[in-house]
Amino acid sequence: MRSAQAKSGLEKAPHRSLFKALGLTDEELARPLVGIVNSANEVVPGHIHLDRIAAAVKAGVRMKGGTPLEFSTIGVCDGIAMNHIGMKYSLASRELIADSIEVMAMAHPFDALVFIPNCDKIVPGMLMAAARLNIPSIFVSGGPMLAGNFRGKLVSLNTVFEGVGAVAAGRMSVEELYHLEEVACPGCGSCSGMFTANSMNCLTEAIGMGLPGNGTIPAVYAERIRLAKRAGMQVMELLEKGIRPLDIMTEAAFMNALRLDMAIGCSTNTILHLLAIAHEAGVRLDLKAINQLSDTTPHLCKIEPAGDAFMQDLYAAGGVQAILNELDKLGLVNRECLTVTTRTVGENIQDCPVLDNNIIRSVEEPYSPTGGLAVLFGNLAPEGAVVKKGAVAPDMLCHEGRARVFNSEEEAVAAILSNRINKGEVVVIRYEGPRGGPGMREMLTPTSAIAGMGLDKDVALITDGRFSGATRGASIGHISPEAAQGGTIALVEDGDIISIDIPNHSLILRVSEEELQRRRDLWQVPEPKIKSGYMKRYAEMVQSASTGAVFKK
């Protein structure tokens, strides 16, 4: 056992003494030591209940003869961090989470790990750590929040963000917005649409690192507690059989995850995170290859914000396993991939039919024959940009408009809420990339304001920052290279024509190369926005969004 390094032999008597200070007995020390990586806190609604999940996991570990030892990680609530300096720290927390788990697991040599995440950066940060450590591991998330109910209509946090724009446009009263905020988030769990947290929990299941149901069983269901107990039991089988994360997180497994991603139309952030996780696993993902995969994957499911269904509806329709089962009818699934069930993907999905074709369409009648995400290229994004095309109005899939340029999210939000954005324009928000932000902030406030004001079918928004999974409309993020690195987005001026062609993966600034070179010669590297602490170091280390915003080696 790996834990023997800290508990076996004469010279480890002091170590055993410290373990006994925890109340552990000789019998418990003789068993495998299983680290329970719990991101519970009292700040994030998706994490407020994770202590209960952890208790169930520990019960499962003990039932199968292991000794669970719990430790914590940090976790940022993107909704609470949105539209202020806090959002600069959100993506950056992913690297801290991965590093802190590595430190704990190497300093205290666990035999196996159970990861309990639930929200945006925590899931990928933990997956990065699992790949890096390559110790027998399993994931069990806290599950999605139920949708709220506002005057007989199901709503989510995204509805509240869009309500701000609706009030600014005179389409909703302040009193109505208050009643909406009271009911939109009815309890614990990751926010109820196909936002980044739920997207990543579903992809964890598709990669094979979570048990079936991990992505969709609602947080408040007793089934979630049973799933946690099974995860605790299952990690002991993974340990017994010597199955490690890199046995599961293969190139073929990432292809399965990307197929699911395209079939559901997950958050654009999934591309950023899958690139980073694959990097840790030694798998190379190529953005152009992702487009090829999207072009051959039907879009089967539209969950809020792309459609009117919520995570609880996807769960009832059969969840992730049912979608993979449906995709398998076209031979799009790598059936032989190993999973934490110790069975293959093909074995897992064989008895998982779609239970509601109103939620998960058949491959014969998809929403679109191509996937819900697209990567765009052109002189404005030579290294790529990402859009959730499944949430774009048909009229905006191809759009040409004049640029309205802002050097920060705050500047753009002020212009939008004061009705200074006109139909047909392309809002450009720059210096919000991984280095320039720093931290590559999500832009849910401006995109929601545009949608709430009824302009999402008339106005496009592009940024070197990123978008919440709750974003809808022609919102194009991750533009690489970013402005702070001298990317073309730094050279855009008010009135320039920008051409967007999502079906043909194109993003073009209609300015001559001679004029762009003239602007390049005048451009200067901006002063860092944060000059001390972790974010200063982050900005110095982080690479382009096209790499997954991973650190330099």
Side-chain angles (χ1 to χ4, degrees), residues 268-296:
T268 50
N269 286 314
T270 58
I271 301 300
L272 194 72
H273 296 321
L274 285 173
L275 287 168
I277 298 161
H279 176 76
E280 292 285 356
V283 173
R284 186 177 181 274
L285 295 184
D286 179 79
L287 287 174
K288 290 183 179 178
I290 289 173
N291 266 343
Q292 294 167 5
L293 193 138
S294 178
D295 287 344
T296 57

PDB file of all heavy atoms in Angstrom, residues 268-296:
ATOM      1  N   THR A 268     -19.173  26.976 -22.917  1.00  0.00           N
ATOM      2  CA  THR A 268     -17.930  27.173 -23.672  1.00  0.00           C
ATOM      3  C   THR A 268     -16.712  26.941 -22.788  1.00  0.00           C
ATOM      4  O   THR A 268     -15.628  26.601 -23.280  1.00  0.00           O
ATOM      5  CB  THR A 268     -17.864  28.587 -24.261  1.00  0.00           C
ATOM      6  OG1 THR A 268     -18.139  29.548 -23.229  1.00  0.00           O
ATOM      7  CG2 THR A 268     -18.877  28.766 -25.379  1.00  0.00           C
ATOM      8  N   ASN A 269     -16.864  27.110 -21.470  1.00  0.00           N
ATOM      9  CA  ASN A 269     -15.743  26.885 -20.559  1.00  0.00           C
ATOM     10  C   ASN A 269     -15.248  25.440 -20.595  1.00  0.00           C
ATOM     11  O   ASN A 269     -14.111  25.166 -20.196  1.00  0.00           O
ATOM     12  CB  ASN A 269     -16.146  27.232 -19.122  1.00  0.00           C
ATOM     13  CG  ASN A 269     -16.239  28.727 -18.909  1.00  0.00           C
ATOM     14  OD1 ASN A 269     -15.364  29.481 -19.311  1.00  0.00           O
ATOM     15  ND2 ASN A 269     -17.308  29.166 -18.262  1.00  0.00           N
ATOM     16  N   THR A 270     -16.093  24.516 -21.054  1.00  0.00           N
ATOM     17  CA  THR A 270     -15.653  23.124 -21.086  1.00  0.00           C
ATOM     18  C   THR A 270     -14.458  22.941 -22.011  1.00  0.00           C
ATOM     19  O   THR A 270     -13.602  22.090 -21.749  1.00  0.00           O
ATOM     20  CB  THR A 270     -16.794  22.188 -21.538  1.00  0.00           C
ATOM     21  OG1 THR A 270     -17.259  22.596 -22.835  1.00  0.00           O
ATOM     22  CG2 THR A 270     -17.941  22.205 -20.552  1.00  0.00           C
ATOM     23  N   ILE A 271     -14.394  23.717 -23.080  1.00  0.00           N
ATOM     24  CA  ILE A 271     -13.249  23.611 -23.989  1.00  0.00           C
ATOM     25  C   ILE A 271     -11.979  24.030 -23.251  1.00  0.00           C
ATOM     26  O   ILE A 271     -10.942  23.357 -23.315  1.00  0.00           O
ATOM     27  CB  ILE A 271     -13.462  24.475 -25.244  1.00  0.00           C
ATOM     28  CG1 ILE A 271     -14.747  24.044 -25.990  1.00  0.00           C
ATOM     29  CG2 ILE A 271     -12.252  24.384 -26.162  1.00  0.00           C
ATOM     30  CD1 ILE A 271     -14.745  22.618 -26.466  1.00  0.00           C
ATOM     31  N   LEU A 272     -12.058  25.134 -22.537  1.00  0.00           N
ATOM     32  CA  LEU A 272     -10.924  25.626 -21.748  1.00  0.00           C
ATOM     33  C   LEU A 272     -10.459  24.559 -20.755  1.00  0.00           C
ATOM     34  O   LEU A 272      -9.263  24.266 -20.632  1.00  0.00           O
ATOM     35  CB  LEU A 272     -11.356  26.887 -21.008  1.00  0.00           C
ATOM     36  CG  LEU A 272     -10.293  27.772 -20.373  1.00  0.00           C
ATOM     37  CD1 LEU A 272      -9.505  28.507 -21.444  1.00  0.00           C
ATOM     38  CD2 LEU A 272     -10.944  28.769 -19.428  1.00  0.00           C
ATOM     39  N   HIS A 273     -11.426  23.956 -20.054  1.00  0.00           N
ATOM     40  CA  HIS A 273     -11.068  23.000 -19.001  1.00  0.00           C
ATOM     41  C   HIS A 273     -10.623  21.651 -19.568  1.00  0.00           C
ATOM     42  O   HIS A 273      -9.696  21.034 -19.039  1.00  0.00           O
ATOM     43  CB  HIS A 273     -12.249  22.815 -18.054  1.00  0.00           C
ATOM     44  CG  HIS A 273     -12.617  24.058 -17.318  1.00  0.00           C
ATOM     45  ND1 HIS A 273     -11.686  24.947 -16.830  1.00  0.00           N
ATOM     46  CD2 HIS A 273     -13.833  24.588 -16.976  1.00  0.00           C
ATOM     47  CE1 HIS A 273     -12.298  25.955 -16.233  1.00  0.00           C
ATOM     48  NE2 HIS A 273     -13.585  25.756 -16.312  1.00  0.00           N
ATOM     49  N   LEU A 274     -11.274  21.178 -20.613  1.00  0.00           N
ATOM     50  CA  LEU A 274     -10.858  19.894 -21.194  1.00  0.00           C
ATOM     51  C   LEU A 274      -9.430  19.973 -21.727  1.00  0.00           C
ATOM     52  O   LEU A 274      -8.661  19.013 -21.610  1.00  0.00           O
ATOM     53  CB  LEU A 274     -11.824  19.463 -22.294  1.00  0.00           C
ATOM     54  CG  LEU A 274     -13.181  18.916 -21.822  1.00  0.00           C
ATOM     55  CD1 LEU A 274     -14.105  18.681 -23.001  1.00  0.00           C
ATOM     56  CD2 LEU A 274     -13.019  17.632 -21.010  1.00  0.00           C
ATOM     57  N   LEU A 275      -9.067  21.120 -22.313  1.00  0.00           N
ATOM     58  CA  LEU A 275      -7.700  21.302 -22.773  1.00  0.00           C
ATOM     59  C   LEU A 275      -6.718  21.178 -21.605  1.00  0.00           C
ATOM     60  O   LEU A 275      -5.666  20.542 -21.712  1.00  0.00           O
ATOM     61  CB  LEU A 275      -7.539  22.669 -23.445  1.00  0.00           C
ATOM     62  CG  LEU A 275      -8.169  22.848 -24.835  1.00  0.00           C
ATOM     63  CD1 LEU A 275      -8.176  24.321 -25.221  1.00  0.00           C
ATOM     64  CD2 LEU A 275      -7.416  22.038 -25.886  1.00  0.00           C
ATOM     65  N   ALA A 276      -7.073  21.803 -20.472  1.00  0.00           N
ATOM     66  CA  ALA A 276      -6.187  21.792 -19.305  1.00  0.00           C
ATOM     67  C   ALA A 276      -6.102  20.400 -18.678  1.00  0.00           C
ATOM     68  O   ALA A 276      -5.019  19.957 -18.277  1.00  0.00           O
ATOM     69  CB  ALA A 276      -6.675  22.811 -18.278  1.00  0.00           C
ATOM     70  N   ILE A 277      -7.230  19.708 -18.577  1.00  0.00           N
ATOM     71  CA  ILE A 277      -7.238  18.358 -17.998  1.00  0.00           C
ATOM     72  C   ILE A 277      -6.458  17.400 -18.895  1.00  0.00           C
ATOM     73  O   ILE A 277      -5.650  16.585 -18.420  1.00  0.00           O
ATOM     74  CB  ILE A 277      -8.684  17.868 -17.807  1.00  0.00           C
ATOM     75  CG1 ILE A 277      -9.445  18.783 -16.833  1.00  0.00           C
ATOM     76  CG2 ILE A 277      -8.704  16.431 -17.292  1.00  0.00           C
ATOM     77  CD1 ILE A 277     -10.964  18.656 -16.945  1.00  0.00           C
ATOM     78  N   ALA A 278      -6.691  17.502 -20.207  1.00  0.00           N
ATOM     79  CA  ALA A 278      -5.966  16.650 -21.146  1.00  0.00           C
ATOM     80  C   ALA A 278      -4.460  16.901 -21.061  1.00  0.00           C
ATOM     81  O   ALA A 278      -3.654  15.966 -21.149  1.00  0.00           O
ATOM     82  CB  ALA A 278      -6.465  16.889 -22.565  1.00  0.00           C
ATOM     83  N   HIS A 279      -4.085  18.144 -20.886  1.00  0.00           N
ATOM     84  CA  HIS A 279      -2.670  18.496 -20.735  1.00  0.00           C
ATOM     85  C   HIS A 279      -2.050  17.734 -19.562  1.00  0.00           C
ATOM     86  O   HIS A 279      -0.951  17.178 -19.682  1.00  0.00           O
ATOM     87  CB  HIS A 279      -2.559  20.006 -20.529  1.00  0.00           C
ATOM     88  CG  HIS A 279      -1.178  20.502 -20.256  1.00  0.00           C
ATOM     89  ND1 HIS A 279      -0.219  20.631 -21.229  1.00  0.00           N
ATOM     90  CD2 HIS A 279      -0.587  20.892 -19.092  1.00  0.00           C
ATOM     91  CE1 HIS A 279       0.904  21.074 -20.690  1.00  0.00           C
ATOM     92  NE2 HIS A 279       0.705  21.244 -19.397  1.00  0.00           N
ATOM     93  N   GLU A 280      -2.763  17.690 -18.438  1.00  0.00           N
ATOM     94  CA  GLU A 280      -2.271  16.960 -17.263  1.00  0.00           C
ATOM     95  C   GLU A 280      -2.217  15.456 -17.529  1.00  0.00           C
ATOM     96  O   GLU A 280      -1.365  14.746 -16.990  1.00  0.00           O
ATOM     97  CB  GLU A 280      -3.154  17.230 -16.048  1.00  0.00           C
ATOM     98  CG  GLU A 280      -3.092  18.647 -15.517  1.00  0.00           C
ATOM     99  CD  GLU A 280      -1.818  18.951 -14.747  1.00  0.00           C
ATOM    100  OE1 GLU A 280      -0.985  18.036 -14.545  1.00  0.00           O
ATOM    101  OE2 GLU A 280      -1.643  20.108 -14.334  1.00  0.00           O
ATOM    102  N   ALA A 281      -3.126  14.970 -18.360  1.00  0.00           N
ATOM    103  CA  ALA A 281      -3.183  13.529 -18.650  1.00  0.00           C
ATOM    104  C   ALA A 281      -2.245  13.117 -19.773  1.00  0.00           C
ATOM    105  O   ALA A 281      -2.189  11.929 -20.118  1.00  0.00           O
ATOM    106  CB  ALA A 281      -4.619  13.134 -18.996  1.00  0.00           C
ATOM    107  N   GLY A 282      -1.536  14.091 -20.342  1.00  0.00           N
ATOM    108  CA  GLY A 282      -0.629  13.772 -21.436  1.00  0.00           C
ATOM    109  C   GLY A 282      -1.333  13.520 -22.747  1.00  0.00           C
ATOM    110  O   GLY A 282      -0.789  12.865 -23.650  1.00  0.00           O
ATOM    111  N   VAL A 283      -2.542  14.056 -22.891  1.00  0.00           N
ATOM    112  CA  VAL A 283      -3.334  13.903 -24.119  1.00  0.00           C
ATOM    113  C   VAL A 283      -3.394  15.256 -24.823  1.00  0.00           C
ATOM    114  O   VAL A 283      -3.667  16.282 -24.194  1.00  0.00           O
ATOM    115  CB  VAL A 283      -4.757  13.415 -23.805  1.00  0.00           C
ATOM    116  CG1 VAL A 283      -5.631  13.425 -25.062  1.00  0.00           C
ATOM    117  CG2 VAL A 283      -4.713  12.013 -23.199  1.00  0.00           C
ATOM    118  N   ARG A 284      -3.147  15.284 -26.105  1.00  0.00           N
ATOM    119  CA  ARG A 284      -3.176  16.531 -26.854  1.00  0.00           C
ATOM    120  C   ARG A 284      -4.524  16.692 -27.551  1.00  0.00           C
ATOM    121  O   ARG A 284      -4.914  15.870 -28.374  1.00  0.00           O
ATOM    122  CB  ARG A 284      -2.055  16.582 -27.884  1.00  0.00           C
ATOM    123  CG  ARG A 284      -1.951  17.932 -28.592  1.00  0.00           C
ATOM    124  CD  ARG A 284      -0.770  17.984 -29.562  1.00  0.00           C
ATOM    125  NE  ARG A 284      -0.681  19.292 -30.192  1.00  0.00           N
ATOM    126  CZ  ARG A 284      -1.354  19.646 -31.283  1.00  0.00           C
ATOM    127  NH1 ARG A 284      -2.169  18.764 -31.861  1.00  0.00           N
ATOM    128  NH2 ARG A 284      -1.225  20.865 -31.806  1.00  0.00           N
ATOM    129  N   LEU A 285      -5.223  17.766 -27.195  1.00  0.00           N
ATOM    130  CA  LEU A 285      -6.469  18.116 -27.881  1.00  0.00           C
ATOM    131  C   LEU A 285      -6.211  19.307 -28.788  1.00  0.00           C
ATOM    132  O   LEU A 285      -5.575  20.281 -28.377  1.00  0.00           O
ATOM    133  CB  LEU A 285      -7.566  18.462 -26.869  1.00  0.00           C
ATOM    134  CG  LEU A 285      -8.059  17.347 -25.947  1.00  0.00           C
ATOM    135  CD1 LEU A 285      -9.208  17.844 -25.080  1.00  0.00           C
ATOM    136  CD2 LEU A 285      -8.497  16.128 -26.735  1.00  0.00           C
ATOM    137  N   ASP A 286      -6.717  19.244 -30.000  1.00  0.00           N
ATOM    138  CA  ASP A 286      -6.508  20.294 -30.987  1.00  0.00           C
ATOM    139  C   ASP A 286      -7.833  20.998 -31.266  1.00  0.00           C
ATOM    140  O   ASP A 286      -8.857  20.347 -31.505  1.00  0.00           O
ATOM    141  CB  ASP A 286      -5.948  19.679 -32.276  1.00  0.00           C
ATOM    142  CG  ASP A 286      -5.725  20.732 -33.345  1.00  0.00           C
ATOM    143  OD1 ASP A 286      -4.704  21.442 -33.265  1.00  0.00           O
ATOM    144  OD2 ASP A 286      -6.583  20.854 -34.237  1.00  0.00           O
ATOM    145  N   LEU A 287      -7.829  22.335 -31.241  1.00  0.00           N
ATOM    146  CA  LEU A 287      -9.079  23.079 -31.424  1.00  0.00           C
ATOM    147  C   LEU A 287      -9.704  22.826 -32.792  1.00  0.00           C
ATOM    148  O   LEU A 287     -10.922  22.736 -32.914  1.00  0.00           O
ATOM    149  CB  LEU A 287      -8.828  24.574 -31.227  1.00  0.00           C
ATOM    150  CG  LEU A 287      -8.602  25.034 -29.781  1.00  0.00           C
ATOM    151  CD1 LEU A 287      -8.212  26.502 -29.733  1.00  0.00           C
ATOM    152  CD2 LEU A 287      -9.845  24.800 -28.941  1.00  0.00           C
ATOM    153  N   LYS A 288      -8.900  22.703 -33.832  1.00  0.00           N
ATOM    154  CA  LYS A 288      -9.464  22.434 -35.158  1.00  0.00           C
ATOM    155  C   LYS A 288     -10.066  21.030 -35.218  1.00  0.00           C
ATOM    156  O   LYS A 288     -11.097  20.812 -35.861  1.00  0.00           O
ATOM    157  CB  LYS A 288      -8.390  22.619 -36.225  1.00  0.00           C
ATOM    158  CG  LYS A 288      -7.997  24.084 -36.412  1.00  0.00           C
ATOM    159  CD  LYS A 288      -6.988  24.287 -37.531  1.00  0.00           C
ATOM    160  CE  LYS A 288      -6.673  25.779 -37.674  1.00  0.00           C
ATOM    161  NZ  LYS A 288      -5.663  26.029 -38.728  1.00  0.00           N
ATOM    162  N   ALA A 289      -9.445  20.089 -34.515  1.00  0.00           N
ATOM    163  CA  ALA A 289     -10.002  18.737 -34.459  1.00  0.00           C
ATOM    164  C   ALA A 289     -11.321  18.731 -33.702  1.00  0.00           C
ATOM    165  O   ALA A 289     -12.232  17.941 -34.005  1.00  0.00           O
ATOM    166  CB  ALA A 289      -9.003  17.793 -33.803  1.00  0.00           C
ATOM    167  N   ILE A 290     -11.445  19.620 -32.720  1.00  0.00           N
ATOM    168  CA  ILE A 290     -12.709  19.739 -31.984  1.00  0.00           C
ATOM    169  C   ILE A 290     -13.828  20.169 -32.926  1.00  0.00           C
ATOM    170  O   ILE A 290     -14.955  19.668 -32.846  1.00  0.00           O
ATOM    171  CB  ILE A 290     -12.551  20.717 -30.799  1.00  0.00           C
ATOM    172  CG1 ILE A 290     -11.673  20.080 -29.719  1.00  0.00           C
ATOM    173  CG2 ILE A 290     -13.911  21.111 -30.217  1.00  0.00           C
ATOM    174  CD1 ILE A 290     -11.310  21.006 -28.576  1.00  0.00           C
ATOM    175  N   ASN A 291     -13.534  21.074 -33.852  1.00  0.00           N
ATOM    176  CA  ASN A 291     -14.536  21.470 -34.846  1.00  0.00           C
ATOM    177  C   ASN A 291     -14.945  20.296 -35.718  1.00  0.00           C
ATOM    178  O   ASN A 291     -16.129  20.110 -36.026  1.00  0.00           O
ATOM    179  CB  ASN A 291     -13.983  22.592 -35.735  1.00  0.00           C
ATOM    180  CG  ASN A 291     -14.357  23.968 -35.235  1.00  0.00           C
ATOM    181  OD1 ASN A 291     -15.273  24.115 -34.430  1.00  0.00           O
ATOM    182  ND2 ASN A 291     -13.652  24.973 -35.704  1.00  0.00           N
ATOM    183  N   GLN A 292     -13.975  19.499 -36.129  1.00  0.00           N
ATOM    184  CA  GLN A 292     -14.298  18.334 -36.961  1.00  0.00           C
ATOM    185  C   GLN A 292     -15.218  17.379 -36.218  1.00  0.00           C
ATOM    186  O   GLN A 292     -16.156  16.817 -36.797  1.00  0.00           O
ATOM    187  CB  GLN A 292     -13.006  17.624 -37.380  1.00  0.00           C
ATOM    188  CG  GLN A 292     -12.117  18.450 -38.297  1.00  0.00           C
ATOM    189  CD  GLN A 292     -10.720  17.870 -38.458  1.00  0.00           C
ATOM    190  OE1 GLN A 292     -10.438  16.785 -37.955  1.00  0.00           O
ATOM    191  NE2 GLN A 292      -9.840  18.586 -39.137  1.00  0.00           N
ATOM    192  N   LEU A 293     -14.966  17.222 -34.940  1.00  0.00           N
ATOM    193  CA  LEU A 293     -15.793  16.349 -34.127  1.00  0.00           C
ATOM    194  C   LEU A 293     -17.199  16.932 -33.966  1.00  0.00           C
ATOM    195  O   LEU A 293     -18.205  16.219 -34.048  1.00  0.00           O
ATOM    196  CB  LEU A 293     -15.120  16.151 -32.769  1.00  0.00           C
ATOM    197  CG  LEU A 293     -15.653  15.047 -31.872  1.00  0.00           C
ATOM    198  CD1 LEU A 293     -14.502  14.298 -31.237  1.00  0.00           C
ATOM    199  CD2 LEU A 293     -16.514  15.646 -30.776  1.00  0.00           C
ATOM    200  N   SER A 294     -17.271  18.255 -33.754  1.00  0.00           N
ATOM    201  CA  SER A 294     -18.573  18.919 -33.641  1.00  0.00           C
ATOM    202  C   SER A 294     -19.383  18.783 -34.926  1.00  0.00           C
ATOM    203  O   SER A 294     -20.605  18.594 -34.894  1.00  0.00           O
ATOM    204  CB  SER A 294     -18.379  20.402 -33.302  1.00  0.00           C
ATOM    205  OG  SER A 294     -19.613  21.082 -33.234  1.00  0.00           O
ATOM    206  N   ASP A 295     -18.693  18.853 -36.064  1.00  0.00           N
ATOM    207  CA  ASP A 295     -19.383  18.785 -37.362  1.00  0.00           C
ATOM    208  C   ASP A 295     -20.009  17.424 -37.624  1.00  0.00           C
ATOM    209  O   ASP A 295     -20.845  17.288 -38.521  1.00  0.00           O
ATOM    210  CB  ASP A 295     -18.407  19.122 -38.492  1.00  0.00           C
ATOM    211  CG  ASP A 295     -18.054  20.605 -38.531  1.00  0.00           C
ATOM    212  OD1 ASP A 295     -18.776  21.405 -37.904  1.00  0.00           O
ATOM    213  OD2 ASP A 295     -17.048  20.951 -39.187  1.00  0.00           O
ATOM    214  N   THR A 296     -19.621  16.410 -36.847  1.00  0.00           N
ATOM    215  CA  THR A 296     -20.172  15.066 -37.050  1.00  0.00           C
ATOM    216  C   THR A 296     -20.984  14.576 -35.856  1.00  0.00           C
ATOM    217  O   THR A 296     -21.333  13.400 -35.793  1.00  0.00           O
ATOM    218  CB  THR A 296     -19.035  14.057 -37.325  1.00  0.00           C
ATOM    219  OG1 THR A 296     -18.101  14.079 -36.231  1.00  0.00           O
ATOM    220  CG2 THR A 296     -18.304  14.405 -38.615  1.00  0.00           C
TER     221      THR A 296
END
